[in-house]
Amino acid sequence: MRQRERFEGPSDLHLHSLRSDGTEPPEVVVQAAHRHGLRTIALTDHDTTAGWGEAAQAAASLGVTLLPGMELSAAHEWRSVHLLAYLFDPEHAGLRAEMDRVRGDRVGRAERIVRNIARDYDLSWSDVVAQTSDDATVGRPHIADALVARGFAVDRSAAFAGILHPREGYYESHYAPDPFAAVRLIVDAGGVPIIAHPATAGRDRMLPEPVLEELIRLGLAGFEIDHRENTATGKRALRRIAAAKDLIVTGSSDYHGRGKPNVPGENTTTDQMVARIIERGSGVAPVRP
Ligand code: AMP
Ligand code: FE
Ligand code: FE
Ligand code: ZN
């Protein structure tokens, strides 16, 4: 019989800190997760591992198990694809280069969006810089915060529904690898790639099934199915594919501090699935209390 695993849930494997577009330092994110009763978590800032050290310290002191992670930006045609990556080697040169390229291009892209908005609103790049902590992966949420600070929106959600919505004409995209290259790199770095919120509406609508099948062939490990933004129809399709291909399925909050209403632990991942992720990851070990 298989030995009982050492870790126990509840587990939430998708949380953001201000190293990307969350609003709290990594240790505060870990504290929030702990307060919500979570025993295993992953810090998954966009395109960066900058929060790993602080998160690991906080996790160790609170008795929480930490899976170092990241949410890597990718793009397939017009679709934005977010790849959760767990337990990869943060020093892997190829992956590192791609992360740096995405992060670098995000800056110029955010400047272009601000320039577009500045045609019609009194907003400047320094307003955005003031909302972005050192070393953070810059994203539209920081522009949203600048719009809020300027009084053009009441909160991030309103900014996204208003001025930041692509229909307003200010939107610009940034460089992102295609998901095939992204999955290959994560796997090569010993990581476990799982598509984040694979079935939302809008710009990250579900990838066509032949594309998913190719990604699975390349080493895609699973889908984040229990996420508040996945549609009911999409979840059913994902469960069918996951069962047929014996994939890992996860559930998570996508916590962003005050940046989103999402609460740590609002969706969770089973112990069995956490065990499969840990078994499959070889780039770095989980941080155990
Ligand atoms: P970007 O990667 O710069 O295009 O920005 C996308 C990020 O914006 C996502 O990672 C979300 O965290 C955030 N976001 C998207 N929609 C909303 C929303 N309605 N309210 C708050 N944050 C959002
Ligand atoms: Fe985000
Ligand atoms: Fe995402
Ligand atoms: Zn996320």
Side-chain angles (χ1 to χ4, degrees):
M1 212 178 85
R2 224 169 126 167
Q3 205 189 329
R4 193 165 188 273
E5 304 293 346
R6 277 156 63 212
F7 50 83
E8 274 170 356
S11 305
D12 183 346
L13 306 183
H14 187 166
L15 306 159
H16 293 269
S17 77
L18 45 64
R19 298 286 165 239
S20 63
D21 56 1
T23 60
E24 299 161 343
E27 60 264 34
V28 177
V29 173
V30 177
Q31 286 159 10
H34 179 254
R35 206 170 49 241
H36 281 85
L38 292 163
R39 304 269 311 269
T40 300
I41 62 168
L43 184 72
T44 54
D45 277 310
H46 298 281
D47 312 313
T48 182
T49 59
W52 283 15
E54 288 161 273
Q57 277 198 348
S61 77
L62 288 169
V64 169
T65 295
L66 175 81
L67 273 54
M70 166 173 73
E71 187 174 7
L72 181 63
S73 309
H76 180 68
E77 297 163 355
W78 50 271
R79 283 179 179 81
S80 151
V81 180
H82 284 179
L83 281 165
L84 292 164
Y86 300 109
L87 303 172
F88 60 91
D89 172 7
E91 308 297 339
H92 183 277
L95 182 55
R96 193 89 245 161
E98 204 62 17
M99 290 159 61
D100 289 347
R101 183 168 173 200
V102 172
R103 282 163 47 78
D105 199 66
R106 277 174 161 281
V107 179
R109 172 260 198 163
E111 285 176 320
R112 289 196 297 280
I113 295 178
V114 169
R115 219 177 297 137
N116 295 344
I117 294 174
R119 296 194 301 252
D120 300 321
Y121 298 87
D122 182 17
L123 183 78
S124 70
W125 181 241
S126 59
D127 294 323
V128 176
V129 172
Q131 299 298 328
T132 311
S133 62
D134 281 354
D135 214 21
T137 301
V138 182
R140 284 181 292 159
H142 302 104
I143 304 174
D145 292 346
L147 289 167
V148 172
R150 281 273 172 195
F152 298 130
V154 293
D155 59 16
R156 271 191 191 181
S157 304
F160 271 92
I163 296 173
L164 290 175
H165 194 283
R167 90 169 92 74
E168 297 300 303
Y170 308 122
Y171 184 80
E172 302 276 348
S173 60
H174 61 77
Y175 166 78
D178 69 53
F180 309 105
V183 163
R184 271 199 215 96
L185 279 171
I186 294 165
V187 170
D188 197 57
V192 185
I194 293 185
I195 304 184
H197 45 74
T200 65
R203 273 194 84 245
D204 23 17
R205 203 161 321 154
M206 196 164 137
L207 289 164
E209 274 195 50
V211 173
L212 293 176
E213 278 165 19
E214 175 66 5
L215 291 174
I216 293 164
R217 211 183 54 75
L218 292 171
L220 179 72
F223 303 132
E224 179 188 56
I225 297 187
D226 289 319
H227 181 291
R228 63 158 72 201
E229 287 168 38
N230 284 332
T231 64
T233 327
K235 285 187 194 183
R236 274 194 296 277
L238 291 168
R239 285 194 209 288
R240 172 176 52 75
I241 301 166
K245 305 269 184 189
D246 191 28
L247 301 182
I248 296 170
V249 299
T250 67
S252 31
S253 65
D254 205 355
Y255 178 67
H256 281 69
R258 292 176 310 283
K260 278 187 173 183
N262 309 28
V263 180
E266 69 176 32
N267 293 295
T268 54
T269 298
T270 64
D271 279 7
Q272 188 212 345
M273 293 298 173
V274 175
R276 283 179 65 179
I277 292 171
I278 291 176
E279 222 162 77
R280 194 158 162 154
S282 62
V284 72
V287 179
R288 307 270 196 191

